[in-house]
Amino acid sequence: MAGLALVAALVALAVWHGRRAVRTLKAVEADLHRAEVAGQDQAERLAALEKLRDGQQRAEQAIATGTAVVREVHKGIAEIPLAVLEAIPGAKAPAQALRGLHHSISDGVYGALENLNKAVGRELRRN
């Protein structure tokens, strides 16, 4: 009878450990599932961030290109009255000085816009 009691005790212990192992396995599986879901969420967030960064780079490039085009058009339009002024006798020297002043100011303004665009782009890429 003692042998049967020992076998029963060992079976009961094995069942208890088996149930405990099943609970542990289920908990591990649940943790694994949560980790997979979190990994998928993280991958989606990273993909969205990459998409935003690509958009930001395209916007920065578009602004840089647009600013360069507007700068050249502005300079070309300014050349029309400046050339007319230079053609007037006695007004050539003042017109040339005016051209230099105009170009200096517009170069400063467009340069500031270019620098601002680059700074905003750097700041956005940093975050």
Side-chain angles (χ1 to χ4, degrees), residues 11-25:
V11 168
L13 185 60
V15 168
W16 180 81
H17 278 292
R19 287 182 181 161
R20 186 171 174 202
V22 167
R23 283 193 305 272
T24 301
L25 180 59

Side-chain angles (χ1 to χ4, degrees), residues 9 15 21 25 31 63 68 70 76-77 104-105 107 119 123:
V15 168
L25 180 59
D31 289 345
I63 290 169
V70 170
I77 291 170
S104 176
I105 291 170
D107 286 346
E123 187 62 27

Side-chain angles (χ1 to χ4, degrees), residues 27-51:
V28 168
E29 286 174 341
D31 289 345
L32 179 60
H33 178 71
R34 281 192 294 276
E36 287 173 344
V37 169
Q40 289 170 350
D41 288 346
Q42 183 67 15
E44 289 171 6
R45 283 194 293 270
L46 288 173
L49 180 60
E50 190 63 33
K51 201 172 183 182

